Amino acid sequence: MGKQSAHIVWDWNGTLFHDIEAVVAASNAAFAQFGLGPITVQQYRELYCVPIPRFYERLMGRVPTQSEWLAMDGAFQRHYAGQLAGCALTEGAEELLAGWGAAGRSQSLLSMYGHAELVPLVRGFGIDAWFTRVDGRVGPSGVSKSEAMARHLAALGEVPASRVVVIGDAADDAVAARAAGAEAVLYTGGAHSRGSLEAMGVPVVDSLAEAVAVAERML
């Protein structure tokens, strides 16, 4: 297999897009509406999981009702949108995307951020040309990435899953990759603590440069 068959599927939030502080601020704003106190970035990383109602259960001590979940999710989305202007690409992301593409390898982007919001955001950073596909969430929020990953890989066409490495910041990225027959590398700069990521049994790294280097060795 040549270089072209080596493919990275990038995650967006917490991986290419450094937004963990914005995510935690928006989460705290949503929690406050239900009398929950704020949490730190480290606490968020220790508690975060999907489906997201389970994350809220860890904070509330009970399963949120459907109306509570919808209200908190709506509050989160509103506050997060207000934080976007202060977020940027993760350090070195643009150079890594360009380098991988210039080497004749392919890459795509799969996010559980809403597709309609994701596409113009990615385009605004001027990096969309490096991706063969950019897919965001089209269904309800808060769910696992596995089904979306299966659709995304199927849409890549001739790239076999065995030649794909998923780079993300969440345990669910590894779950989705494994279910689809792909490899995964997890980055510690986003939603999970290192311990949570290491429990997934895949390589864990502290920078995107390390992630790409590991992906290259795996492929």
Side-chain angles (χ1 to χ4, degrees):
M1 294 236 178
K3 289 182 179 179
Q4 186 60 41
S5 64
H7 186 92
I8 289 175
V9 176
W10 292 93
D11 174 57
W12 180 246
N13 302 94
T15 303
L16 288 175
F17 189 53
H18 183 77
D19 65 346
I20 183 62
E21 289 83 6
V23 166
V24 174
S27 296
N28 283 334
F31 301 157
Q33 296 190 17
F34 290 85
L36 299 173
I39 61 174
T40 65
V41 169
Q42 185 57 38
Q43 288 171 321
Y44 182 96
R45 286 172 167 160
E46 293 290 346
L47 294 170
Y48 178 76
C49 63
V50 293
I52 294 178
R54 191 176 301 161
F55 168 52
Y56 289 160
E57 180 184 358
R58 291 180 173 183
L59 292 161
M60 300 173 72
R62 61 176 175 81
V63 178
T65 66
Q66 181 67 7
S67 61
E68 287 173 332
W69 151 243
L70 292 174
M72 283 193 285
D73 185 55
F76 171 85
Q77 299 297 342
R78 289 192 302 275
H79 287 282
Y80 178 75
Q83 298 274 335
L84 281 178
C87 300
L89 294 178
T90 300
E91 182 179 358
E94 188 169 1
E95 294 78 10
L96 291 167
L97 293 172
W100 187 265
R105 302 179 176 95
S106 60
Q107 55 199 325
S108 57
L109 177 60
L110 174 63
S111 173
M112 297 308 284
Y113 188 44
H115 185 78
E117 294 77 26
L118 174 69
V119 171
L121 186 56
V122 173
R123 186 179 298 127
F125 282 108
I127 59 173
D128 51 308
W130 292 118
F131 301 118
T132 57
R133 292 188 64 84
V134 174
D135 289 329
R137 174 181 49 79
V138 293
S141 62
V143 299
S144 173
K145 206 174 199 176
S146 294
E147 290 187 9
M149 183 67 71
R151 292 193 299 269
H152 185 81
L153 295 190
L156 294 178
E158 297 181 0
V159 180
S162 61
R163 297 291 292 170
V164 172
V165 172
V166 175
I167 297 179
D169 70 306
D172 192 50
D173 289 302
V175 171
R178 186 176 296 128
E183 301 287 349
V185 180
L186 298 178
Y187 163 60
T188 60
H192 281 284
S193 67
R194 171 174 274 277
S196 298
L197 298 179
E198 288 177 340
M200 300 309 298
V202 302
V204 176
V205 299
D206 296 319
S207 72
L208 295 189
E210 291 177 83
V212 171
V214 172
E216 190 165 16
R217 290 197 296 271
M218 295 171 87
L219 293 172

